[in-house]
């Protein structure tokens, strides 16, 4: 790659879509990425590529690039992109860049940096195209013709003299009325909007629910601050889904940004594993406590894995339904009682089916009807309890403000391992006289 | 609800956003939903609400509604919505509706029904606004003014005389050039497009990657067939994420449509549970096979849960990373070797950490260094194998064309339970002389 073919490479980099270049760059290490970025013609293009790269590769690349070059790239970014970019950098580097940017841009960026992460304010663009309600359609069209600086103008937002958002127009509406009409007379006054401190996930849900292309962001007085476009919402939705999925598996979305760095990835996953480890040792202690029962009836060991495995699985299913329900807005706390009762019923039904199956297996395998009874009863109880635990643990995490996605894997599973073993061995101990 | 307050209710239903009505309807049973739909004024509104309802509640509601009323509602739907709606109905009811629809609409709908489910063709709208490349900007604007029937006109697609897609224009471009300019002279000829048989998940990835608002759908000759807008893409992305999450937990997205119907939900989840059950019995058989070892060294039982639990967890993490990577396009088969090696390294590192911890716990607890050694070695091996299995099983499912999301939970976990127990007890048997 680093040979003479650079001029061809330059040409290619000038033609490929920035998103594709960003995709290609993933296959290279950070030094090669830097070289390729520098080879890419046109600063606007480089800015687009950089914005499309994985956010966690930004700090490394930023450190490698020449400072002035970096600043001229950031200069070409939309202000929401550059705010997100600068936010990702180490504080001192971010400071330096803010100082070096031209005054007007750095004001906008600093302003965006003032919003808390993952709020509407932090993902909005301040490049929103809006007009005063008193101007005419003719003037509006003229303004539109000069509006090259704005991203994706599809709606025209209309404000009053104090910048309060009062209406919205589609471009087509402008074309279908006489040029002297005032905007206030044709605008629709029913404008969906979000407050700047709304959580980005809620914003995404709203845009998805109402099939919007963009949603304006206002402050608590209703003043227009910025715009969130649907492409940002898509990114938010995908990231939130990925976040949930990875957290449910006991790792974190940061992992995706570490590439092939095994040590860092291991460090990220280990806390969850150590939780499971502690849980496993607790379960083991319980089994040790019941060892007398086990020594007397060694055939009990054959059903330990199935009892703990099923409990973990059922708890995981229930917890997942809740986690996803909370995330998509399908479930809220007002329904939690109904959901609990449903999961209780579902758990009981599944427990009965699995209990009967495993009771049959146990009776036939070890030629012992009482063993079948013990295993069957334990299975029904363990599965039903697991289903309830799935709801209780997940809802509890949600209630205390911890992401319920992290509840579903290690916690629910560990809780259900422990209850499963307790149920199994206490049932067995109860029936001990019949088993020996 | 069914009292006299109907006229107020009617008024309310006439004002609330259709998406909100659909959301509210979830709290009612299907008969109440039917009543509320009938109370909603304006057929267009009813059509919007129906389109926003959960697809799996459609057949029931459709059966309940008066046939003529139903047909007049479908009449108001966009053709892509009505195709999806009719597709969800039982075949004979769908047929009847198709026959009863006016000729032109039923042609469009039947045409859309011809595409396979989950392809670009099945989710596109045929209401695409396009113009011939030879017409002038003035005529284009006139055409636009009459374009009320089309959903979301933001781009103007340009075709040649054989309806091949040859270019695209933004509305703003039309406003900024002299009215006599031909479209062919100002259009951009580099138009992103998808083939009608492309998988909807790929379409969604493409729209997300290139930040598009809409993407035209063409046939294999490049003829323009329809348009997929970003709001449909958002639905696809959310559904696919939910599908993956639920499948990973061993249930299915259909569950969400069953509401509180416990028996049907249980029936949906049971197959996965029974897989785990079989796996658990196999693991149990293995333990039974090693019972002599266990009877001699009863303290071995204290580490069974931790060995199987950790293996299942690590395998789940690895598998999840792959499942999500495949889904978002971040991982493909060309990287599978690298991913495997990475997971092997990560597994080894995590295995060593957990192995040392558990070896310490075991040695101190049972005052037996050899037990510590056995448990530690088994843990390192089990975790490393589990990490590799997570990659192998998931990639295998993907390769043979089965959704890898269903691999991660029951299969990976069962496989790792089995290998974990085998590793643990064979190590223990090997060291048996030192343990007793």
């Amino acid at each position: 790659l680093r040979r003479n073919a650079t001029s061809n490479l330059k040409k290619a980099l000038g033609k490929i879509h920035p998103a594709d270049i960003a995709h290609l760059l993933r296959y290279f290490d950070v030094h090669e990425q830097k070289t390729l970025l520098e080879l890419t013609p046109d600063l606007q293009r480089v800015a687009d590529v950089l914005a499309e790269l994985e956010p966690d590769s930004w700090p490394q690349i930023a450190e490698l690039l020449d400072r002035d070059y970096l600043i001229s790239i950031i200069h070409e970014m939309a202000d929401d992109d550059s705010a997100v970019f600068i936010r990702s950098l180490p504080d001192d580097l971010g400071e330096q860049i803010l100082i070096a940017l031209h005054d007007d841009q750095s004001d906008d960026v600093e302003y965006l940096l003032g919003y808390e992460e993952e709020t509407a304010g932090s993902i909005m663009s301040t490049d929103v195209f809006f007009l005063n309600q008193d101007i005419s359609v003719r003037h509006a069209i003229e303004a539109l013709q000069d509006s090259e600086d704005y991203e994706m103008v599809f709606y025209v937002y209309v404000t009053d003299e104090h910048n309060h958002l009062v209406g919205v127009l589609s471009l087509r509406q402008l074309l279908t009325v006489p040029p002297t009409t005032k905007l206030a007379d044709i605008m629709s006054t029913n404008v969906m909007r979000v407050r700047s401190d709304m959580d980005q996930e809620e914003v995404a849900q709203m845009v998805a629910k109402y099939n919007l292309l963009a949603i304006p962001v206002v402050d608590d007085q209703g003043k227009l601050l910025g715009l969130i476009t649907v492409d940002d919402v898509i990114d938010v939705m995908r990231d939130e889904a990925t976040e949930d999925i990875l957290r449910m598996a006991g790792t974190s979305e940061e992992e995706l940004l570490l590439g092939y760095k095994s040590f860092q990835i291991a460090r990220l996953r280990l806390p969850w594993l150590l939780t499971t480890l502690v849980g496993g040792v607790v379960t083991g202690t319980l089994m040790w406590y019941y060892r007398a029962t086990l020594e007397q009836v060694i055939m009990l060991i054959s059903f330990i894995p199935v009892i703990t495995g099923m409990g973990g699985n059922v708890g995981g299913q229930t917890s997942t339904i809740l986690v996803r329900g909370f995330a998509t807005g399908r479930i809220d706390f007002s329904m939690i009682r109904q959901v609990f009762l449903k999961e209780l019923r579902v758990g009981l039904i599944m427990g009965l089916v699995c209990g009967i199956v495993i009771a049959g297996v146990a009776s036939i395998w070890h030629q012992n009807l009482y063993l079948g009874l013990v295993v069957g009863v334990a299975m029904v109880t363990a599965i039903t309890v697991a289903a309830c635990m799935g709801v209780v643990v997940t809802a509890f995490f949600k209630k205390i403000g911890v992401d319920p996605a992290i509840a579903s894997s290690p916690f629910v599973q560990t809780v259900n391992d422990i209850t499963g073993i307790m149920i199994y061995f206490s049932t067995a101990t109860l029936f001990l006289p019949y088993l020996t």
Side-chain angles (χ1 to χ4, degrees), chain A residues 7 12 18 26 52 139 156 204 217 254 302 309 361 365 399 413:
Chain A
S7 89
R26 276 202 232 145
E52 294 285 338
H139 284 113
V156 177
V217 182
E254 287 165 54
S302 6
V361 171
W365 179 2
K399 197 87 193 182
Q413 214 151 320

Side-chain angles (χ1 to χ4, degrees), chain A residues 283 287 294 298-313 358 365-366 375 379 382-383 413 416-417 420-421 424-425:
Chain A
T283 317
M287 286 179 60
L294 192 63
I298 190 72
M299 54 193 175
L300 283 173
I301 60 158
S302 6
F303 300 98
I304 292 171
V306 85
I307 295 274
T308 55
M310 299 292 278
N313 239 325
I358 202 74
W365 179 2
H366 294 287
V375 178
M379 182 67 90
I383 287 184
Q413 214 151 320
N416 285 327
D417 272 6
I421 290 292
Y424 183 44
F425 278 101

Side-chain angles (χ1 to χ4, degrees), chain A residues 270-286 410-411 414-415 417-418:
Chain A
L270 269 170
W272 307 113
L273 279 190
L274 294 175
T275 316
T276 315
L277 193 131
V278 172
V281 170
V282 173
T283 317
T285 314
L286 259 172
F411 285 90
T414 299
V415 168
D417 272 6
I418 295 172

Side-chain angles (χ1 to χ4, degrees), chain A residues 17-289:
Chain A
H17 191 287
D20 289 321
I21 301 181
H23 187 84
L24 278 174
L25 286 183
R26 276 202 232 145
Y27 294 86
F28 297 96
D29 71 29
V30 70
H31 295 276
E32 293 163 338
Q33 290 183 349
K34 176 202 167 233
T35 313
L36 285 168
L37 274 181
E38 286 170 351
L39 277 176
T40 305
D42 179 9
L43 279 177
Q44 177 62 56
R45 232 178 144 64
V46 180
D48 290 344
V49 174
L50 204 55
E52 294 285 338
L53 279 179
E54 293 301 334
D56 268 42
S57 61
W58 287 341
Q60 284 180 285
I61 293 184
E63 297 281 4
L64 283 176
L65 288 171
D66 174 72
R67 196 60 42 93
D68 289 335
Y69 182 61
L70 178 61
I71 287 161
S72 53
I73 297 172
I74 294 174
H75 218 67
E76 298 294 324
M77 287 186 181
D79 57 0
D80 54 338
D81 287 340
S82 50
V84 175
F85 183 80
I86 292 171
R87 201 192 281 272
S88 81
L89 302 181
D91 286 347
D92 52 336
L93 180 58
E95 282 291 332
Q96 287 174 35
I97 289 173
L98 275 179
I99 292 164
L101 282 175
H102 271 248
D103 279 340
D104 56 334
Q105 195 186 5
S106 76
D107 280 356
D108 282 352
V109 172
E110 265 186 282
Y111 172 72
L112 286 176
L113 285 173
Y115 289 100
E116 250 187 280
E117 253 183 285
E118 310 216 332
T119 61
S122 74
I123 56 166
M124 74 185 180
S125 159
T126 54
D127 296 334
V128 45
F129 186 77
F130 65 94
L131 295 169
N132 188 285
Q133 59 180 344
D134 294 324
I135 78 162
S136 68
V137 166
R138 185 200 318 272
H139 284 113
I141 291 178
E142 281 167 17
L144 210 51
Q145 287 165 347
D146 301 327
S147 67
E148 274 177 60
D149 283 349
Y150 299 92
E151 28 171 357
M152 300 216 277
V153 179
F154 297 108
Y155 300 121
V156 177
Y157 295 99
V158 186
T159 56
D160 66 14
E161 61 273 36
H162 303 298
N163 276 343
H164 295 109
L165 177 64
V166 292
V168 66
L169 284 170
S170 75
L171 287 202
R172 228 196 45 216
Q173 272 176 290
L174 289 181
L175 295 176
T176 52
V177 293
T180 51
T181 321
K182 264 194 183 178
L183 297 190
D185 298 331
I186 52 166
M187 71 188 184
S188 150
T189 53
N190 186 7
V191 199
M192 299 257 175
R193 64 190 75 194
V194 294
R195 280 262 305 263
S196 57
D197 54 359
M198 191 187 234
D199 186 89
Q200 61 174 6
E201 199 167 353
E202 281 176 67
V203 177
Q205 281 177 19
M206 211 167 146
V207 170
K209 182 172 168 191
Y210 298 114
N211 298 328
L212 306 174
L213 288 177
I215 194 158
V217 182
V218 296
D219 67 10
D220 45 7
Q221 263 107 51
K223 279 191 189 161
L224 183 61
L225 299 174
L227 189 68
I228 295 172
T229 47
V230 73
D231 56 323
D232 298 322
V233 165
I234 284 188
D235 294 342
V236 168
M237 286 187 64
R238 193 159 54 172
D239 292 350
E240 298 274 348
T242 301
E243 194 179 294
D244 276 1
I245 290 178
L246 296 187
R247 286 192 184 171
M248 278 191 222
T251 177
S252 120
E253 63 279 17
E254 287 165 54
E255 148 138 26
L256 299 180
L257 313 160
L258 290 171
Y260 297 102
K261 298 195 200 87
S262 314
F263 274 97
Q264 273 131 301
I265 292 177
R267 207 169 53 195
L268 213 59
R269 292 191 203 167
L270 269 170
W272 307 113
L273 279 190
L274 294 175
T275 316
T276 315
L277 193 131
V278 172
V281 170
V282 173
T283 317
T285 314
L286 259 172
M287 286 179 60
W288 182 242
Y289 171 79

